[in-house]
């Protein structure tokens, strides 16, 4: 091997260690970058000739050795939208590239991938990480997840559409032998989401031994407050075979009230209408089942009141304003409203690759799919090899400072050793040139 070849080999060693120093510098600089994956160095030798007779060293190259599959530390944070993947996989994100004529964002047609889950809402409601990439997910409409498409997740601060009351469930007890009318006020929701009062009044029969109470329903805020009456007969009444104190049947109603037909185990319901200014609103009051304890009963009471209300429920939902947004472990993005309701608008999937280390690296801890990485498979979190989602958490860089400093020392020494070879070869070449004197 000539002296010039020795110098070339040493120079390639200096160049390789320079690249290794660059990798180390990049790692140390991003040791606190969310979702950053360090780059190690893989040294590869290229030999011009090597056999049992002669060995002619060639050069050495420093190739990057990516660690996209090595997870960083999962750290809990206060941000309710922050997400981290515990295991394999990436978030699918979109890159904004401008604004459309209507003011909405325009996105790059390509899909990008990242482990940086430090998401927050921007002024347009998009879930954006610290590098400006917008999280993509499956749209959810009326609880149905559409897994056929991915779209940028946008949180809109709209109102929760109210739902008028249709079903009311009432359970309580009327005191057996009661002689005075008993009233209770309950709240229902009209078609505009406003709370309206209903008054239920139970008036006992004056006939001795009669187990009948007359229910009258009054809606003070309706166009016609009095909605009608209906007699409620309790067992025993007329030789009934139903257990004592349970509902027997309804009598003939008046007004808008309609009672269901009696029969053991059949729901005892009273249907009526009320007009709160937007037209008739039909509601059904469920007071239990005929011949079954529960719902409305008539038993002896030790209390001062002749009516004890155990529970009341209605299915109406008032108007709700945006309150907050949270993420769930299954990837659901849920909007919460101040009326106690919530709605899922998207589900965050996890994207996995056969060889994530072959992804192309981009700015902002983002990646692009390549032929070597394999196709992107978009799956539910925790399924088909995908990692689990951690909420209110971020994945820190997988860089270890102590390890990087150790590699730094070795790279520095190796670089210095290669410079010594260059200096030595230079001296030998000088001696060779001086041989002619």
């Amino acid at each position: 091997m000539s002296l010039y070849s020795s110098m070339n080999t040493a120079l390639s060693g200096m160049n390789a260690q320079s690249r290794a120093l660059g990798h180390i510098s990049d790692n140390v600089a991003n040791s606190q970058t969310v979702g950053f994956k360090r780059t190690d160095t893989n040294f590869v030798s290229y030999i011009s000739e090597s056999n049992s007779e002669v060995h002619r060293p060639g050069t050495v190259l420093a190739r990057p050795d990516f660690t996209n599959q090595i997870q960083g530390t999962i750290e809990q944070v206060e941000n309710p939208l922050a997400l981290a993947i515990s295991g394999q996989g990436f978030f699918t994100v979109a890159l904004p590239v401008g604004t459309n004529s209507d003011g909405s964002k325009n996105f790059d047609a390509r899909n990008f991938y990242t482990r940086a889950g430090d998401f927050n809402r921007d002024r347009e409601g998009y879930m954006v990480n610290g590098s400006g990439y917008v999280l993509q997910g499956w749209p959810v409409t009326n609880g149905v997840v559409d897994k056929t498409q991915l779209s940028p997740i946008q949180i809109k601060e709209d109102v929760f559409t109210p739902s008028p009351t249709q079903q009311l469930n009432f359970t309580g007890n009327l005191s057996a032998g009661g002689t005075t009318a008993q009233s209770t006020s309950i709240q229902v929701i009209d078609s505009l989401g406003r709370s309206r009062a209903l008054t239920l009044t139970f008036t006992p029969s004056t006939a001795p031994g009669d187990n009948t109470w007359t229910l009258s329903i009054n809606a003070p805020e309706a166009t016609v407050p009095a909605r009608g009456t209906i007699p409620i007969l309790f067992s025993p009444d007329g030789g009934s075979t139903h257990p004592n104190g349970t509902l027997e049947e309804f009598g003939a109603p008046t007004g808008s009230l309609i009672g269901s037909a009696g029969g053991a185990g059949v729901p005892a319901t009273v249907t009526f209408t009320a007009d709160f200014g937007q037209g008739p609103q039909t509601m059904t009051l469920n007071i239990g089942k005929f011949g079954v304890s529960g719902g409305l009963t008539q038993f002896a009471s030790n209390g001062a009141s002749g009516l004890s209300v155990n529970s009341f429920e209605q299915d109406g939902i008032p108007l709700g304003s945006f309150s907050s947004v949270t993420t769930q472990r299954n990837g659901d993005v849920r909007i919460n409203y101040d009326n106690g309701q919530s709605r899922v608008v998207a589900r965050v999937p996890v994207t996995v690759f056969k060889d994530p280390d072959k992804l192309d690296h981009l700015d902002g801890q983002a990646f692009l799919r390549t032929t070597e990485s394999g196709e992107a498979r978009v799956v539910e979190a925790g399924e088909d090899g995908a990692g689990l989602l951690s909420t209110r958490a971020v994945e820190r860089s997988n860089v270890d400072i102590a390890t990087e400093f150790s590699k730094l020392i070795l790279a520095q020494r190796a670089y210095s050793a290669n410079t010594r070879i260059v200096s030595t070869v230079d001296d030998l070449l000088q001696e060779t040139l001086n041989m002619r004197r």
Side-chain angles (χ1 to χ4, degrees):
M1 183 177 70
S2 68
L3 292 177
Y4 288 108
S5 297
S6 298
M7 180 171 288
N8 288 333
T9 300
L11 289 173
S12 72
M14 293 171 60
N15 185 56
Q17 296 302 328
S18 296
R19 292 190 177 186
L21 285 169
H23 298 164
I24 294 169
S25 176
D26 192 33
N27 293 340
V28 173
N30 287 281
S31 60
Q32 300 302 311
T33 302
V34 172
F36 179 79
K37 300 301 181 181
R38 75 173 188 270
T39 302
D40 292 336
T41 306
N42 182 22
F43 295 98
V44 180
S45 64
Y46 286 86
I47 300 173
S48 59
E49 183 181 3
S50 182
N51 53 50
S52 60
E53 300 295 332
V54 64
H55 176 75
R56 301 181 189 276
T59 58
V60 60
L61 292 180
R63 290 182 172 177
D65 188 9
F66 300 114
T67 61
N68 300 341
Q69 300 186 68
I70 299 178
Q71 183 171 310
T73 302
I74 303 297
E75 180 180 294
Q76 294 297 130
V77 295
E78 295 181 356
N79 179 10
L81 296 182
L83 289 169
I85 300 175
S86 179
Q88 296 299 309
F90 297 83
F91 298 111
T92 302
V93 291
L95 177 64
V97 291
T99 305
N100 297 317
S101 58
D102 60 357
S104 61
K105 285 186 187 298
N106 186 28
F107 295 95
D108 192 307
R110 297 171 296 176
N111 283 330
F112 299 85
Y113 310 96
T114 187
R115 296 277 293 196
D118 52 336
F119 297 107
N120 269 303
R121 287 194 304 140
D122 66 5
R123 64 180 183 179
E124 295 171 291
Y126 288 102
M127 291 182 63
V128 182
N129 69 8
S131 299
Y133 288 93
V134 177
L135 179 63
Q136 296 197 83
W138 291 320
V140 178
T141 304
N142 297 325
V144 179
V145 182
D146 181 5
K147 296 185 178 182
T148 64
Q149 61 175 317
L150 283 172
S151 59
I153 299 177
Q154 185 178 23
I155 309 300
K156 297 182 179 180
E157 295 189 9
D158 51 3
V159 298
F160 191 95
T161 304
S163 175
T165 299
Q166 293 180 314
Q167 296 288 331
L168 304 94
N169 296 318
F170 183 86
T171 62
N173 181 70
L174 292 165
S175 179
T179 58
T180 59
Q182 303 294 322
S183 296
T184 185
S185 181
I186 60 180
Q187 298 295 314
V188 296
I189 306 299
D190 68 13
S191 60
L192 296 180
R194 293 174 295 192
S195 182
R196 303 289 192 172
L198 283 183
T199 301
L200 307 182
T201 302
F202 299 90
T203 304
S205 171
T206 58
D210 190 0
N211 296 296
T212 301
W213 295 71
T214 299
L215 167 64
S216 62
I217 299 178
N218 188 276
E221 299 171 277
T223 54
V224 179
R227 304 315 309 140
T229 64
I230 188 170
I232 303 175
L233 286 67
F234 291 90
S235 300
D237 197 297
S240 171
T241 58
H242 294 166
N244 290 351
T246 63
L247 292 168
E248 172 71 18
E249 61 180 352
F250 290 120
T254 65
S256 69
L257 274 61
I258 301 175
S260 58
V266 175
T269 60
V270 177
T271 302
F272 62 98
T273 60
D275 186 351
F276 297 106
Q278 298 82 44
Q281 178 177 334
T282 301
M283 291 171 276
T284 300
L285 175 65
N286 183 356
I287 57 174
K289 294 181 178 181
F290 294 109
V292 179
S293 295
L296 185 63
T297 56
Q298 180 193 244
F299 295 109
S301 174
N302 295 325
S305 173
L307 171 65
S308 58
V309 179
N310 296 331
S311 68
F312 166 72
E313 298 176 351
Q314 58 89 27
D315 62 355
I317 300 174
L319 180 71
S321 298
F322 176 87
S323 175
S324 63
V325 57
T326 55
T327 53
Q328 312 296 312
R329 290 181 60 87
N330 66 344
D332 283 351
V333 179
R334 184 180 298 273
I335 299 177
N336 305 305
Y337 299 88
D338 61 4
N339 61 354
Q341 301 298 309
S342 64
R343 178 167 58 202
V344 176
V345 295
R347 178 171 295 176
V348 180
V350 176
T351 304
V352 293
F353 299 89
K354 287 185 177 180
D355 191 355
D357 289 340
K358 294 298 190 298
L359 293 169
D360 273 351
H361 286 234
L362 302 175
D363 295 340
Q365 303 91 264
F367 302 90
L368 266 179
R369 187 190 71 83
T370 64
T371 303
E372 292 78 11
S373 69
E375 291 294 332
R377 293 188 297 112
V378 184
V379 298
E380 295 264 7
E383 295 183 1
D384 298 328
L388 299 173
L389 290 178
S390 297
T391 60
R392 290 180 176 265
V394 294
E395 180 185 0
R396 292 297 179 185
S397 167
N398 65 357
V399 173
D400 180 73
I401 294 292
T403 301
E404 297 303 314
F405 281 173
S406 299
K407 292 190 293 185
L408 177 63
I409 294 172
L410 293 174
Q412 180 184 9
R413 296 303 184 193
Y415 187 93
S416 298
N418 280 286
T419 62
R420 290 296 184 89
I421 294 175
V422 172
S423 298
T424 301
V425 172
D426 180 57
D427 291 341
L428 292 175
L429 287 173
Q430 187 64 43
E431 290 296 329
T432 302
L433 291 175
N434 292 336
M435 285 176 60
R436 63 189 294 267
R437 297 182 192 179

